[in-house]
Amino acid sequence: MTIEMILTGFLFWLDIILVFASERFGYITYNELKSEAKLPKIHDDPKKFKTGFVLILMEHLNIIALAIMLFIAFSSYSLILGIIWLIFRIGEGLIQIYYKKNYWGILKSARQYPGNSDAEKNSLIDKGRSILKTKSSSFSFAQILFSIGTIAYSILFITSEVVPEIFGWFGIIASIIYGVGNGIILVKPNFKVPAYFGGLLIFLFEAVLGGWLIFSSII
């Protein structure tokens, strides 16, 4: 199982790297719905937008690969839990990939933005805001699926003792906070504090877990 564990740890780290890289190129995970500010930025540097888009799309594909590798590495300890995280984490990735085609449409609006009349600009702003709203709500829903999937393999870590038990408990706590935080965003889009805090905990969880899976298998 050593190779599978190393690959799983690598995919955890790759996921983090791709998220940070996409944000470096302008992709914002939790968008403010201010398309009047975003459209000119995309128009001025469409290559940056395209690069960020490709990187975050790679991250979504990596999510699916991670779910499959987790299943290969750990499902022998609990097939039921393995199926749960496989379904929910693949579902998370597929939802985000599906709605990215809608997000790509904001590039067209950005190209048309300069040089138009105020009325036409307002129409493009409204369209951009609608795209950003859909992106935000689809992301929050996908993160609820993420939380359920992460709870599933965190429970497996506790019950199987295949990794230190503290990882499992930390994963459960972080996933609950993160999942509830994203559920709150679906109801109150401007209240992002619990999701931000949960996201930080998830980052720590996946970074440390990924490192442990890699180095404990090598040493």
Side-chain angles (χ1 to χ4, degrees):
M1 191 178 69
T2 302
I3 297 299
E4 290 87 347
M5 288 179 66
I6 292 173
L7 289 173
T8 301
F10 171 76
L11 289 173
F12 271 120
W13 277 9
L14 180 59
D15 198 71
I16 293 169
I17 291 169
L18 288 170
V19 168
F20 279 104
S22 67
E23 291 182 353
R24 173 66 180 81
F25 284 93
Y27 181 86
I28 301 175
T29 300
Y30 287 103
N31 271 105
E32 296 292 337
L33 304 182
K34 297 178 180 179
S35 60
E36 64 273 21
K38 193 166 185 66
L39 290 177
K41 289 181 180 179
I42 296 174
H43 175 268
D44 292 340
D45 197 349
K47 185 177 179 180
K48 184 177 181 180
F49 172 84
K50 292 175 183 178
T51 303
F53 183 90
V54 170
L55 287 169
I56 201 62
L57 196 60
M58 289 171 61
E59 189 269 343
H60 300 337
L61 292 170
N62 186 72
I63 288 170
I64 296 172
L66 173 59
I68 294 170
M69 189 54 62
L70 272 166
F71 186 83
I72 294 170
F74 298 107
S75 63
S76 60
Y77 295 96
S78 174
L79 182 59
I80 293 175
L81 289 172
I83 291 172
I84 290 172
W85 82 61
L86 193 66
I87 291 172
F88 281 91
R89 294 229 55 187
I90 288 179
E92 171 207 351
L94 291 176
I95 285 173
Q96 298 207 68
I97 290 170
Y98 177 79
Y99 281 101
K100 282 299 174 292
K101 66 179 178 62
N102 184 57
Y103 181 61
W104 181 258
I106 202 169
L107 179 61
K108 181 179 179 181
S109 295
R111 285 170 172 166
Q112 296 173 346
Y113 188 74
N116 278 313
S117 65
D118 289 342
E120 290 170 327
K121 283 185 176 180
N122 288 335
S123 176
L124 291 171
I125 288 171
D126 289 342
K127 184 178 180 180
R129 187 179 295 114
S130 176
I131 290 172
L132 294 176
K133 185 176 180 180
T134 300
K135 171 185 170 295
S136 179
S137 60
S138 63
F139 174 80
S140 291
F141 179 74
Q143 295 318 288
I144 293 173
L145 300 186
F146 163 88
S147 297
I148 296 171
T150 304
I151 287 172
Y153 58 76
S154 296
I155 292 173
L156 181 142
F157 292 158
I158 294 171
T159 56
S160 68
E161 299 181 351
V162 67
V163 302
E165 187 175 325
I166 189 172
F167 288 167
W169 286 114
F170 190 89
I172 289 173
I173 293 169
S175 297
I176 290 173
I177 294 173
Y178 188 54
V180 170
N182 278 281
I184 291 171
I185 288 176
L186 290 174
V187 179
K188 295 184 176 181
N190 293 324
F191 189 50
K192 297 182 173 71
V193 174
Y196 283 146
F197 179 63
L200 175 61
L201 295 179
I202 289 295
F203 164 74
L204 294 173
F205 170 65
E206 293 194 339
V208 175
L209 175 60
W212 187 90
L213 289 171
I214 293 170
F215 294 109
S216 67
S217 302
I218 295 174
I219 298 174

